[in-house]
Amino acid sequence: MQRKDHIVDRRDVLLHMEDMNKAFPGVQALSNVDLEVRAGEIHGLIGENGAGKSTLMKILTGVYTKDSGQLRIEGERVEIIDPHHAQQLGISIIYQEFNLMPNLTVAENVFIGREPDRFQFIRWGDLRQQTQELLDLLGIHLSPRETVRDLSVAEQQMVEIAKALSIQSRIIIMDEPTSALTDTEVESLFHIMRSLKEQGLGVIFISHRLEEVFEICDRITVLRDGENVGTRNVEDVTPDEVIHMMVGRALGELFQKETSAKSGDVVLEVHDVMRTGTVLDPSAIALNNVNFQLHRGEILGLAGLIGSGRTALARVIFGADTMDRGEIYIDGERVDVHSPEHAIRHGMGFVPEDRQGQALILSMAVRKNVSLAKLGDLTNYGFVDGVEEKQIVEHYVDTLQIRTPSLDQKVMYLSGGNQQKVVIAKWLALEPKILIMDEPTRGIDVGAKAEVHALMNQLAQQGVGIIMISSELPEILGMSDRILCMREGQVVGELSRDEATPERVMRLLTTEEQVEVHNAQPKQERRNKHE
Amino acid sequence: MNRATDAAVEQQPAKETEDRQFDVTAVLGRFAALIFLIVLGTAFAILEPAFVNPINLFNVLRQVSVYGLLAIGMTFVILTAGIDLSIGSLLALSGLVVAAVEKGSTGLLTGAAAGEASGYPLPVAILAAVIVGMAGGGLQGLAITRLRVPPFVVTLGGLSAFRGAALVFSGGQPISAFSEDFRYWGQGFIGPVPVPVVIFLSFAVLAYIVLRYTRYGRYIYAVGGNLEAARLSGLNTDRLVASVYVIMGFFAGLSGFVLAARLNSAEQVAGLGYELTVIAGVVIGGTSLFGGEGGIFGTIIGVLLIGVLNNGLTLMNVSSYYQQIIIGIIIVFAVFFDQMIKRRQR
């Protein structure tokens, strides 16, 4: 199987999907899509949400049956019947959410259902040794005895990869594997992916992050509206060209912050906030003496690696978690925020990072999701004023251009970008003074991303103070007026828009360096520059 | 589960569902229980003409009224993804309370209390029963929200504790032989319609309106659909969750009264095992045990279905032992059918 020559002949083609068609009621999800993956290749599959990536992969893994088309593995024609069959053919998929049993060990998970046994008794020694060999092969530093629950997201992902390898997979599909990883973790994932490639496997890499696609992939296939727009060698294209292929139009600079924000008065001040891990959840991230100010009309970027306390800080400010010590001032007045209910009353809104888990009620209609936080104002004698509700929801659905067949569509049927807009609409309906957005564009496509950014600019211009948490450095740098860098529960540095470079921010997040935190007064010089 | 939703999202949107209104499976799914009820009713009518006799039909309704009242409360509870196993015991306790207050003493306390054995007016007695029910439910609601013990466990405790309380309260003796005014609420008629049926349907309509048109109702669905999202949207989720157990307690108290009036006796063993029948009715009616989906309309159908099945089978001389087997099977298939339809819609 070891092969590294660059001449491609038919044998090198691991997988060939030809003329794939799949229709769902009312929509042609795939039309005549071709996809070819070679041995020893990392193949990027990209496209906006709804472009057909998942459908194509679900056909490959036997979750859906194709309407028509041919599928060849190593030149041999196959009909994949079900997921189990796909697995037997050597096709593995690693989803964003993992299929691991958290209560079992690494070794038990890797060989689940295929444990080496004798008379139905598991041979634990062999199990651990075989797992260890796999982990070594992949260069993963984990013990087979560790319980999966105790592992980080990145480590769990590696267990999934080891599992895929243990069933002799030839094709490994990774669906947005980096979306929950920090930059260092992404590096080690890429390291493993390269080693899979060297072993002659074909890897299909689905990602919204173009920089990553360009870093790791050999070739890219772009889907748009269920069609293959083209397959290219990475060396032959630029990110701009790929974006053009994805959206059918060239986007100018991504992450463009409009020169706006005449930073106004301080709307929010956070003073000496502390939070320690609790008994029930010792892994809770402590916040250590956090201080900062947020101004009207400002976008304050909150940068940090996962686990640095960014989300913990956002949740404490919004009252979703309690703080052990500290004060919060809104418009100069001390407020006690015990719960989100209080926070909302004080003019705050919060877009959490986990859209489906924490922000949306998937089984409810768009209308009910948008009006949920606002419902108190839309009620007469306990009854919801349906007419007024509809007017308000319609207004925000129009403003945000939420694409939905009707207001009564359940949000679970919307695309990721539109779901995120529903969350944002919910808060806009309340006309907040302060909006905290945790990863506001995670997992949504390029077009929707640009729309969300435009909206944030617009809100800032209207005087809303925005705190934006993001793992994407370009987004932080592009959108923020000011950047707070967090590490281990502390603010380790504050950079103005002009001071911030990717290298500086990264250094603050990952090394022991600190920058003196200027106490957040609006910087006179910068304001002048903008005017 | 999330992945499944992601899938639905990605493979794409919108247009797919416009066609849904023409989708037969969707209609079937929505009205599965109703269709089954009609089919079953028709079958019984053909096989056993006595079934369609109006007197028999009202009898069925009267029999399901107590279950029905409880099922209304249970719908609120299950919509929040909770469960209440204590209702049978709470019903017994409230039944004894209403009886004792009305008669002025429990059967046993002939000593000190017997002196004032003249009794209190009926409204006071009913109020006492309902308050006991709501207090019992409220206690459980607090345990669930403050102590963070799962509803299943808390109400399993309640199942035992309230039954015990009922025994302590009455000293193990039933309280019976009520005034005519009292019995009217269980045995009387308004026109041809039994009073319990009127009570049941009135509260069903009220609950339907509350769940469908009020802010509170909307919040109940939100809490059941996604507790954390509801909390982060500013809902006081603890208070909302606790409130459904108070509502459940109210209905346990009320049905304790209705049952005592119907049987002309309040007993410690009243309502034994009712929780299972009631939960079955709610689930057959399409309310999801995972919360956030379902409603009162389905619950009424579900409860009627169980009533009709029991009655029809009895008329056809099927032993009540077999009836239990049949109902058990139907519960499983109702949920299976519901899930199958939902999967098809993906």
Side-chain angles (χ1 to χ4, degrees):
Chain A
M1 284 297 283
Q2 299 273 8
R3 211 171 334 177
K4 277 201 222 161
D5 46 350
H6 295 286
I7 311 132
V8 181
D9 63 50
R10 294 303 294 176
R11 278 170 313 164
D12 263 349
V13 177
L14 246 185
L15 167 76
H16 195 184
M17 299 177 87
E18 231 178 323
D19 285 333
M20 303 308 286
N21 282 292
K22 176 76 186 171
F24 293 105
V27 62
Q28 185 71 30
L30 294 174
S31 26
N32 299 323
V33 172
D34 280 17
L35 177 70
E36 183 198 81
V37 179
R38 297 170 191 159
E41 173 186 50
I42 298 177
H43 195 111
L45 184 62
I46 56 182
E48 294 190 274
N49 284 336
K53 297 168 305 207
S54 283
T55 309
L56 189 63
M57 290 304 103
K58 289 212 160 104
I59 289 174
L60 183 54
T61 50
V63 179
Y64 293 157
T65 23
K66 58 184 169 21
D67 294 343
S68 67
Q70 281 193 18
L71 214 151
R72 288 173 197 280
I73 290 178
E74 289 179 334
E76 222 173 285
R77 213 176 142 181
V78 290
E79 292 288 332
I80 296 176
I81 308 161
D82 57 20
H84 184 68
H85 185 210
Q87 222 173 54
Q88 284 177 329
L89 291 168
I91 301 165
S92 280
I93 182 159
I94 294 163
Y95 288 105
Q96 280 166 283
E97 284 108 22
F98 309 129
N99 283 321
L100 299 174
M101 326 273 157
N103 52 330
L104 300 184
T105 64
V106 171
E108 286 166 324
N109 267 288
V110 167
F111 282 97
I112 191 132
R114 295 167 290 107
E115 299 87 352
D117 66 346
R118 174 177 296 148
F119 311 123
Q120 295 299 311
F121 288 92
I122 295 174
R123 285 149 58 192
W124 292 102
D126 288 3
L127 178 67
R128 290 198 194 102
Q129 197 198 330
Q130 288 175 22
T131 308
Q132 190 67 58
E133 282 164 13
L134 268 173
L135 295 175
D136 291 347
L137 184 70
L138 289 168
I140 300 171
H141 302 291
L142 272 180
S143 156
R145 289 167 183 268
E146 255 175 293
T147 308
V148 162
R149 184 184 291 116
D150 302 333
L151 304 181
S152 72
V153 174
E155 289 167 335
Q156 293 189 21
Q157 196 168 53
M158 292 173 186
V159 175
E160 282 272 15
I161 295 172
K163 187 171 152 189
L165 211 59
S166 79
I167 53 176
Q168 254 103 58
S169 298
R170 290 175 289 181
I171 299 159
I172 295 185
I173 305 159
M174 299 194 179
D175 189 0
E176 292 273 354
T178 58
S179 64
L181 302 191
T182 62
D183 286 355
T184 28
E185 290 168 339
V186 169
E187 266 322 304
S188 42
L189 174 69
F190 282 0
H191 185 76
I192 292 170
M193 286 170 69
R194 289 194 187 98
S195 108
L196 293 174
K197 174 176 154 177
E198 270 164 35
Q199 291 164 43
L201 275 74
V203 178
I204 300 175
F205 178 67
I206 301 176
S207 177
H208 278 117
R209 299 189 188 171
L210 278 188
E211 309 97 75
E212 293 174 359
V213 171
F214 274 83
E215 186 185 337
I216 189 81
C217 293
D218 302 303
R219 290 192 301 163
I220 305 174
T221 292
V222 182
L223 296 186
R224 185 174 75 220
D225 301 330
E227 290 178 41
N228 183 341
V229 195
T231 299
R232 302 271 191 281
N233 288 319
V234 167
E235 308 92 74
D236 301 341
V237 282
T238 65
D240 278 345
E241 285 165 6
V242 171
I243 289 171
H244 184 75
M245 287 166 79
M246 284 167 69
V247 296
R249 60 187 186 272
L251 288 179
E253 181 92 17
L254 283 170
F255 311 117
Q256 194 69 280
K257 173 87 175 89
E258 285 162 31
T259 47
S260 67
K262 32 179 181 5
S263 288
D265 310 331
V266 174
V267 63
L268 171 75
E269 184 173 349
V270 169
H271 190 65
D272 277 344
V273 165
M274 302 274 283
R275 176 176 161 81
T276 50
T278 60
V279 185
L280 280 175
D281 185 7
S283 65
I285 302 133
L287 290 172
N288 194 357
N289 259 338
V290 175
N291 289 284
F292 73 88
Q293 292 179 322
L294 172 72
H295 303 265
R296 278 172 54 80
E298 175 185 48
I299 298 181
L300 177 65
L302 208 52
L305 303 177
I306 286 173
S308 61
R310 308 170 308 180
T311 298
L313 179 58
R315 287 178 61 89
V316 160
I317 296 171
F318 191 65
D321 292 327
T322 53
M323 59 175 102
D324 296 329
R325 211 182 71 205
E327 288 146 31
I328 289 178
Y329 297 85
I330 291 177
D331 288 334
E333 253 175 70
R334 170 98 192 258
V335 292
D336 273 331
V337 184
H338 303 297
S339 68
E341 203 181 352
H342 285 112
I344 290 168
R345 226 176 282 153
H346 289 301
M348 285 194 235
F350 177 46
V351 177
E353 63 181 324
D354 180 359
R355 188 162 55 235
Q356 301 201 342
Q358 301 186 337
L360 291 170
I361 298 171
L362 291 171
S363 56
M364 289 201 344
V366 170
R367 175 170 57 89
K368 295 178 181 179
N369 269 284
V370 172
S371 66
L372 187 60
K374 174 89 176 165
L375 217 52
D377 300 340
L378 301 174
T379 311
N380 300 321
Y381 306 107
F383 285 84
V384 177
D385 183 338
V387 179
E388 204 187 340
E389 182 193 20
K390 192 163 167 239
Q391 274 172 2
I392 288 197
V393 173
E394 242 163 21
H395 171 75
Y396 285 102
V397 166
D398 286 349
T399 319
L400 296 172
Q401 293 174 31
I402 299 174
R403 281 175 280 278
T404 172
S406 89
L407 298 185
D408 291 315
Q409 175 78 317
K410 288 185 178 180
V411 282
M412 68 170 83
Y413 297 114
L414 301 188
S415 70
N418 283 309
Q419 287 184 343
Q420 186 70 340
K421 287 194 213 162
V422 169
V423 179
I424 296 173
K426 172 170 73 180
W427 295 114
L428 295 196
L430 283 171
E431 298 171 5
K433 285 188 282 198
I434 301 159
L435 189 57
I436 307 170
M437 305 175 97
D438 195 351
E439 302 282 4
T441 62
R442 170 180 286 174
I444 68 179
D445 62 64
V446 182
K449 211 167 186 166
E451 287 176 22
V452 169
H453 288 149
L455 196 74
M456 289 168 69
N457 282 325
Q458 208 181 322
L459 287 173
Q461 245 151 10
Q462 289 162 12
V464 179
I466 298 178
I467 300 175
M468 178 190 70
I469 298 175
S470 174
S471 291
E472 286 185 50
L473 215 42
E475 185 173 46
I476 285 275
L477 292 168
M479 291 299 295
S480 311
D481 292 306
R482 211 151 47 91
I483 299 168
L484 286 186
C485 300
M486 289 192 73
R487 189 176 69 229
E488 290 163 10
Q490 300 183 52
V491 174
V492 290
E494 180 196 320
L495 301 171
S496 73
R497 183 175 179 77
D498 303 326
E499 297 165 335
T501 62
E503 295 76 20
R504 263 193 99 170
V505 174
M506 221 45 222
R507 252 204 326 275
L508 280 170
L509 301 188
T510 54
T511 64
E512 293 299 301
E513 188 183 310
Q514 293 224 3
V515 176
E516 191 207 336
V517 179
H518 358 234
N519 212 0
Q521 287 310 317
K523 303 199 73 182
Q524 202 57 43
E525 323 88 76
R526 190 166 60 88
R527 263 209 282 178
N528 291 341
K529 229 171 262 173
H530 284 313
E531 275 158 14
Chain B
M1 205 128 122
N2 272 338
R3 194 179 316 123
T5 17
D6 276 348
V9 166
E10 171 113 8
Q11 55 145 273
Q12 212 11 207
K15 280 170 221 138
E16 177 190 348
T17 46
E18 279 172 37
D19 296 20
R20 189 168 296 159
Q21 57 202 37
F22 305 110
D23 193 342
V24 186
T25 56
V27 178
L28 268 179
R30 180 103 196 263
F31 297 107
L34 182 59
I35 292 166
F36 189 55
L37 178 63
I38 293 169
V39 170
L40 199 69
T42 316
F44 281 138
I46 293 166
L47 294 169
E48 184 57 64
F51 174 77
V52 277
N53 184 329
I55 295 172
N56 182 57
L57 289 179
F58 278 126
N59 208 11
V60 172
L61 281 173
R62 191 212 295 270
Q63 279 163 0
V64 301
S65 293
V66 167
Y67 290 136
L69 283 170
L70 291 166
I72 294 169
M74 190 64 83
T75 305
F76 281 82
V77 172
I78 294 182
L79 277 176
T80 66
I83 196 86
D84 191 339
L85 304 175
S86 72
I87 54 172
S89 304
L90 202 49
L91 175 149
L93 178 61
S94 345
L96 288 163
V97 167
V98 67
V101 174
E102 204 258 355
K103 293 191 75 106
S105 81
T106 67
L108 243 197
L109 294 177
T110 38
E116 42 183 332
S118 51
Y120 295 88
L122 189 55
V124 176
I126 299 174
L127 199 65
V130 165
I131 286 172
V132 166
M134 290 169 81
L139 274 178
Q140 298 188 103
L142 283 179
I144 290 161
T145 53
R146 299 277 161 220
L147 309 181
R148 309 257 161 231
V149 179
F152 186 93
V153 177
V154 169
T155 60
L156 191 62
L159 170 79
S160 172
F162 294 135
R163 185 70 65 187
L167 289 164
V168 169
F169 179 76
S170 69
Q173 297 291 321
I175 305 172
S176 27
F178 304 117
S179 66
E180 203 185 319
D181 281 356
F182 190 107
R183 278 181 280 129
Y184 169 79
W185 294 93
Q187 301 176 347
F189 287 88
I190 297 176
V193 189
V195 174
V197 176
V198 176
I199 300 175
F200 164 44
L201 291 179
S202 312
F203 276 104
V205 169
L206 185 67
Y208 180 84
I209 292 170
V210 167
L211 280 178
R212 209 176 153 115
Y213 297 109
T214 68
R215 179 177 51 174
Y216 177 77
R218 183 79 61 85
Y219 283 175
I220 294 300
Y221 281 93
V223 164
N226 187 338
L227 186 72
E228 182 65 1
R231 191 171 80 96
L232 292 179
S233 299
L235 275 56
N236 190 334
T237 48
D238 277 355
R239 204 189 309 159
L240 285 163
V241 167
S243 75
V244 297
Y245 293 90
V246 176
I247 291 175
M248 182 73 255
F250 168 84
F251 283 104
L254 186 66
S255 51
F257 163 60
V258 172
L259 187 66
R262 199 179 91 202
L263 303 175
N264 195 19
S265 175
E267 298 175 16
Q268 307 74 26
V269 292
L272 211 57
Y274 275 26
E275 61 280 350
L276 298 182
T277 307
V278 167
I279 293 167
V282 174
V283 169
I284 290 173
T287 297
S288 163
L289 282 170
F290 299 108
E293 284 178 274
I296 292 293
F297 180 72
T299 292
I300 295 173
I301 303 294
V303 169
L304 280 179
L305 196 58
I306 293 179
V308 164
L309 207 59
N310 277 329
N311 179 269
L313 293 174
T314 308
L315 286 178
M316 290 169 64
N317 289 322
V318 177
S319 119
S320 71
Y321 303 164
Y322 285 104
Q323 292 181 21
Q324 292 185 25
I325 296 175
I326 292 168
I327 289 181
I329 292 168
I330 286 181
I331 294 170
V332 175
F333 272 89
V335 175
F336 163 73
F337 194 62
D338 199 46
Q339 286 179 346
M340 192 183 66
I341 300 282
K342 279 186 186 136
R343 237 175 276 142
R344 283 273 291 277
Q345 285 176 3
R346 294 247 157 80

